[in-house]
């Protein structure tokens, strides 16, 4: 009897060891706060992690590193490429130094509504962009394009912005993305590139007068404490790019790849849903109205701003990134036009 028990224990231990050996760890880093109800980036990450761990029955364990715990978002992209971590939810600014053509997404005043952005990034252009990023970088897989919070708004401490003349003399923080600087300068403001971690203190001390971000980011960053005015310019839509290590992806079986693909789609849906919820709640425009004067541009005002920003933007893409980027921009514009024409505002 003792021998049978001993054999059973050895067998159970062997099975446990084998199961443990099959378990994989996916380290996922991003630059947002670790509250899935506070910002779209972490909502996306949390949904992804929950589905992957549940549907693989723990076979893939997700380790989450929010709030730039492992380094800046740009450094996280390099960590994925080096295999130090397996995934990151990257901003276009963080990806730009590795894939400069991501800049074409910064076509100013392009979209008419949120539904049009979904159509473009879920459709033919999103697939073409995925293929090009993977081909150019060689060591990553693009899982999707989560929402950063929707369209960009501009906040500042000087006064309401209603037309082009109101931008004069305002120092506006941008990401360290050249096209953002081109756009802001074309509007008549002074572009001031600055790392994300320095923005709040720079606004507080007057080093910069304003910044631009989606409404949910403006809300959870507490910019209403240091800014008096917000204009719903809707001049940019800049999604996240969900990157996974290709080496990790290639090491998964077909079923695991299916699970990660489904989890990534759910992650994108969650980020979009939370973005719209925040916008409509007292943590969105309504809540920010308690601390800032809010201005919504008319279609005519946006058209005027589009006319002065798109030509220098397109010239920048031509001069700095070349014909391949121009071709990608052309495809982007075509798909944006189709999506706008089919949108609910038409």
């Amino acid at each position: 009897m003792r021998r049978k028990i001993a054999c059973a224990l050895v067998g159970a231990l062997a099975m446990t060891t084998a199961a443990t050996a099959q378990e994989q760890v996916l380290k996922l880093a991003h630059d947002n706060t670790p509250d899935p109800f506070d910002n779209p980036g972490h909502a996306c990450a949390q949904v992804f992690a929950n589905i992957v761990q549940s549907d693989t029955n723990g076979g893939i364990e997700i380790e989450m590193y929010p709030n730039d715990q492992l380094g800046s978002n740009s450094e996280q992209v390099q960590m994925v490429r080096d295999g130090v971590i397996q995934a990151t939810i990257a901003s276009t600014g963080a990806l730009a130094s590795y894939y400069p053509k991501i800049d074409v997404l910064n076509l100013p005043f392009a979209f008419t509504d949120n539904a049009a952005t979904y159509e473009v990034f879920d459709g033919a252009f999103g697939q073409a962009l995925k293929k090009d990023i993977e081909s150019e970088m060689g060591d990553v897989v693009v899982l999707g394009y989560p929402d950063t919070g929707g369209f960009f708004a501009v906040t500042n401490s000087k006064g309401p912005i209603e037309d082009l003349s109101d931008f004069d003399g305002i120092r506006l923080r941008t990401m360290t993305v050249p096209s953002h600087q081109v756009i802001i300068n074309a509007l008549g403001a002074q572009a001031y590139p600055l790392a994300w971690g320095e923005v709040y203190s720079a606004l507080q001390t007057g080093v910069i007068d304003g910044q631009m971000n989606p409404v949910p980011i403006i809300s959870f960053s507490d910019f209403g404490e240091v800014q008096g005015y917000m204009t719903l310019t809707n001049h940019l839509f800049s999604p996240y790019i969900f990157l996974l290590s290709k080496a990790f992806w290639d090491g998964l079986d077909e079923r695991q790849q299916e699970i990660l693909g489904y989890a990534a789609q759910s992650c994108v849906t969650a980020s979009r849903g939370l973005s719209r919820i925040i916008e409509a709640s007292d943590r969105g425009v309504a809540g920010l109205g308690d601390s800032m004067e809010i201005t919504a541009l008319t279609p005519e005002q946006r058209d005027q701003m589009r006319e002065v920003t798109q030509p220098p933007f397109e010239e920048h893409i031509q001069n700095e990134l070349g014909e391949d980027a121009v071709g990608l921009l052309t495809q982007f514009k075509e798909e944006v036009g189709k999506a706008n024409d089919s949108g609910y505002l038409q």
Side-chain angles (χ1 to χ4, degrees):
M1 177 62 72
R2 289 180 179 177
R3 181 166 182 166
K4 288 181 179 180
I5 294 173
C7 289
L9 289 172
V10 170
L13 180 60
M15 291 175 64
T16 301
T17 302
T20 302
Q22 291 172 0
E23 290 178 0
Q24 300 186 65
V25 175
L26 191 162
K27 297 178 181 178
L28 169 58
H30 62 78
D31 63 356
N32 285 295
T33 55
D35 183 347
F37 300 103
D38 195 46
N39 62 83
H42 192 71
C44 169
Q46 194 68 57
V47 167
F48 176 81
N50 183 65
I51 292 174
V52 170
Q53 292 182 158
S54 297
D55 287 10
T56 63
N57 197 27
I60 299 177
E61 179 186 351
I62 308 295
E63 291 183 1
M64 201 88 71
Y65 297 92
N67 252 354
D68 285 341
Q69 290 179 20
L70 302 181
S72 70
N73 202 203
S74 182
E75 290 170 334
Q76 293 163 24
V77 174
Q78 187 60 53
M79 290 177 192
V80 172
R81 304 190 75 185
D82 293 339
V84 176
I85 61 176
Q86 288 67 50
T88 186
I89 300 173
S91 69
T92 55
L95 188 60
S97 58
Y98 306 97
Y99 178 73
K101 282 185 282 184
I102 200 67
D103 216 2
V104 304
L105 303 188
N106 292 313
L107 179 69
F109 299 96
F111 292 99
T112 57
D113 54 74
N114 283 303
T117 70
Y118 305 159
E119 188 171 336
V120 168
F121 288 103
D122 292 345
F125 177 79
Q127 287 301 307
L129 181 62
K130 166 183 167 67
K131 182 178 179 180
D132 201 57
I133 292 172
E134 293 174 353
S135 174
E136 291 278 332
M137 295 182 66
D139 43 20
V140 298
V141 172
V142 175
L143 292 179
Y145 306 101
D147 200 325
T148 57
F151 290 114
F152 276 49
V154 171
T155 68
N156 83 98
S157 57
K158 295 294 187 181
I161 294 176
E162 298 179 350
D163 57 40
L164 286 170
S165 64
D166 295 327
F167 281 102
D168 290 347
I170 294 179
R171 286 171 297 177
L172 278 177
R173 180 263 177 180
T174 70
M175 297 182 196
T176 53
V177 178
S179 67
H180 284 190
Q181 297 157 48
V182 168
I183 293 165
I184 292 304
N185 289 333
L187 287 169
Q190 299 173 19
Y192 195 104
L194 193 64
W196 172 245
E198 302 173 43
V199 175
Y200 186 93
S201 61
L203 292 170
Q204 189 175 42
T205 57
V207 171
I208 52 177
D209 303 314
Q211 60 81 52
M212 58 180 190
N213 262 300
V215 167
I217 293 179
I218 292 170
S219 177
F220 72 67
S221 301
D222 295 324
F223 288 153
E225 297 175 350
V226 290
Q227 298 278 267
Y229 307 90
M230 181 168 74
T231 302
L232 304 176
T233 51
N234 291 5
H235 62 291
L236 289 176
F237 178 85
S238 184
Y240 288 121
I241 296 85
F242 194 170
L243 297 177
L244 183 76
S245 159
K246 187 175 186 301
F248 183 83
W249 175 263
D250 289 343
L252 301 176
D253 60 38
E254 185 176 353
R255 175 58 180 158
Q256 290 172 324
Q257 290 180 349
E258 289 175 354
I259 290 170
L260 261 66
Y262 169 72
Q265 290 175 2
S266 299
C267 147
V268 170
T269 300
S271 70
R272 291 172 178 172
L274 184 64
S275 295
R276 305 293 80 78
I277 290 170
I278 291 175
E279 286 174 343
S281 74
D282 59 4
R283 293 195 299 163
V285 173
L288 289 170
D290 293 337
S291 57
M292 291 189 283
E293 180 180 327
I294 297 176
T295 301
L297 297 181
T298 66
E300 292 74 23
Q301 289 169 327
R302 294 186 72 250
D303 287 343
Q304 183 186 32
M305 293 178 187
R306 180 186 299 109
E307 289 173 3
V308 301
T309 55
Q310 283 199 0
F313 171 82
E314 294 187 25
E315 183 180 355
H316 161 77
I317 295 296
Q318 173 75 63
N319 294 341
E320 299 299 324
L321 300 180
E323 291 303 320
D324 283 351
V326 171
L328 192 63
L329 176 59
T330 299
Q331 184 177 0
F332 182 54
K333 290 177 67 175
E334 289 174 354
E335 295 301 319
V336 167
K338 293 175 187 176
N340 286 342
D341 288 343
S342 64
Y344 78 93
L345 294 180
Q346 300 303 313

